[in-house]
């Protein structure tokens, strides 16, 4: 059995690619101005570590709505409402952007461009914009989460529409049905499990994103976190981080279990 020898160019490609990547990394770090560690860095790190190891358990629940449980529930509400609202709004955008033929489509191209344009703005930027429009609070967070999620889920939904089998749809049309019949009895039943799967996946991401929206005043657990960091209340920071970790872990587990059941 003869072993085909690789050409010199094919053997050098990995090394060239690695060298280019290394040069880019070195160039990127060359623009960072390092002025050394502060004299109090060790003391501050020690205080942070001590606070994280001794969390403020009294902040977990007080019954006045200004505690960790209330902040976490508000964060979940922002993520849930933003995801649910955007999942419905994203459906028509997904059909607009979906490319159902190999030919160039102006409809699909403009739809994909619009979804990309929506995704350009991160949640924090949108939150700052909506705070200027509707004021600080959870409503601004829901609007920011919802608008950004439309762009993301519209892209995922459109890809699900593009990947379905067109056989049932063509069969309904050839049997005398119209486009609406094909959409109702073939397309939507085929893509609905994928839509639900992507919505649950987006909800997982939204919970993490909603946890930091409060940093700019858009509600959620981010507000008490930034206040605790500003006041150097490290024990308060510790209990808030523990709450965020537990919330995200539970949501990821529940969402993963539901998605596995849907994809069986």
């Amino acid at each position: 059995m003869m072993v085909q020898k690789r050409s010199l160019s094919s053997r050098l490609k990995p090394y060239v690619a690695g060298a280019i990547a290394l040069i880019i990394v070195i160039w990127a770090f060359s623009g960072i101005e390092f002025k050394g560690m502060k004299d109090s860095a060790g003391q501050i790190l020690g205080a942070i570590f001590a606070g994280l190891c001794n969390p403020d358990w009294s902040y977990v629940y007080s019954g006045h709505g200004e505690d960790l449980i209330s902040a976490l529930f508000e964060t979940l509400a922002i993520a849930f409402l933003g995801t649910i609202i955007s999942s419905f709004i994203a459906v028509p955008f997904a059909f607009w952007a979906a490319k159902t033929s190999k030919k160039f489509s102006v409809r699909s191209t403009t739809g994909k461009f619009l979804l990309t344009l929506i995704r350009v703005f991160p949640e924090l930027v949108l939150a700052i914009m909506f705070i200027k429009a509707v004021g600080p609070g959870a409503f601004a967070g829901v609007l920011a989460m919802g608008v950004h999620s439309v762009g993301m889920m519209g892209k995922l939904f459109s890809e699900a529409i593009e990947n379905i089998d067109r056989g049932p749809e063509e069969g309904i049309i050839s049997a005398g049905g119209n486009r609406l019949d094909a959409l109702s009895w073939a397309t939507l039943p085929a893509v609905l499990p994928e839509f639900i799967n992507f919505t649950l996946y987006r909800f997982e991401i939204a919970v993490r994103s909603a946890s930091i929206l409060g940093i700019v005043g858009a509600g959620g657990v981010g507000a008490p976190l930034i206040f605790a960091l500003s006041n150097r209340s490290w024990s308060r920071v510790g209990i808030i981080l523990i709450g965020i970790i537990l919330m995200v872990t539970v949501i990821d587990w529940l969402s993963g279990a539901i998605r596995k059941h849907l994809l069986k």
Side-chain angles (χ1 to χ4, degrees):
M1 182 177 179
M2 296 181 62
V3 179
Q4 186 177 3
K5 293 184 179 180
R6 297 172 60 189
S7 62
L8 179 61
S9 60
S10 63
R11 285 182 291 174
L12 290 178
K13 279 182 179 179
Y15 298 100
V16 173
I20 293 174
L22 181 61
I23 292 172
I24 293 174
V25 171
I26 295 174
W27 172 77
F29 274 99
S30 65
I32 300 176
E33 185 178 356
F34 181 68
K35 297 182 179 180
M37 301 288 289
K38 292 184 178 180
D39 296 335
S40 59
Q43 182 180 358
I44 293 175
L45 288 175
I48 295 173
F49 184 75
L52 294 177
C53 293
N54 297 280
D56 181 11
W57 296 104
S58 63
Y59 181 66
V60 174
Y61 182 75
S62 63
H64 302 295
E66 299 291 336
D67 49 43
L68 179 60
I69 298 297
S70 301
L72 292 177
F73 270 114
E74 186 177 52
T75 301
L76 283 175
I78 292 172
F80 180 79
L81 285 175
T83 304
I84 291 299
I85 293 172
S86 61
S87 65
F88 286 100
I89 298 176
V91 173
F93 283 95
F95 280 97
W96 180 5
K99 187 176 182 180
T100 56
S101 64
K102 295 182 179 180
K103 298 180 181 179
F104 175 78
S105 172
V106 176
R107 171 190 58 81
S108 174
T109 303
T110 55
K112 289 182 183 296
F113 175 77
L114 180 60
L115 291 176
T116 302
L117 186 64
I118 295 173
R119 294 198 309 274
V120 165
F121 301 96
E123 292 96 336
L124 283 177
V125 174
L126 290 172
I128 294 172
M129 295 169 60
F130 283 119
I131 286 173
K132 299 298 182 181
V134 302
F139 185 46
V142 172
L143 292 175
M145 192 65 60
V147 170
H148 183 78
S149 296
V150 167
M152 180 59 67
M153 285 199 292
K155 176 181 181 295
L156 296 175
F157 288 180
S158 65
E159 291 176 353
I161 296 171
E162 292 173 352
N163 294 330
I164 63 172
D165 182 13
R166 298 291 167 186
E169 180 180 330
E170 295 173 356
I172 291 176
I173 294 176
S174 62
N178 53 34
R179 290 290 180 182
L180 183 60
D181 295 329
L183 176 66
S184 303
W185 298 103
T187 306
L188 286 179
V191 298
L192 189 58
E194 287 292 333
F195 281 9
I196 298 175
N197 178 44
F198 288 137
T199 301
L200 290 171
Y201 176 70
R202 179 59 194 169
F203 178 60
E204 294 179 15
I205 301 174
V207 171
R208 298 181 179 88
S209 300
S211 299
I212 60 173
L213 288 181
I215 293 177
V216 295
V221 74
L225 178 60
I226 194 65
F227 290 149
L229 288 169
S230 300
N231 296 326
R232 297 187 179 184
S233 179
W234 305 120
S235 58
R236 180 68 57 87
V237 172
I239 192 62
I240 292 174
L241 291 178
I242 290 173
I244 293 174
I245 291 171
L246 291 176
M247 176 183 67
V248 171
T249 302
V250 171
I251 293 299
D252 283 359
W253 179 79
L254 288 175
S255 177
I258 295 173
R259 286 191 286 116
K260 285 182 181 179
H261 180 73
L262 288 173
L263 296 177
K264 282 184 178 180

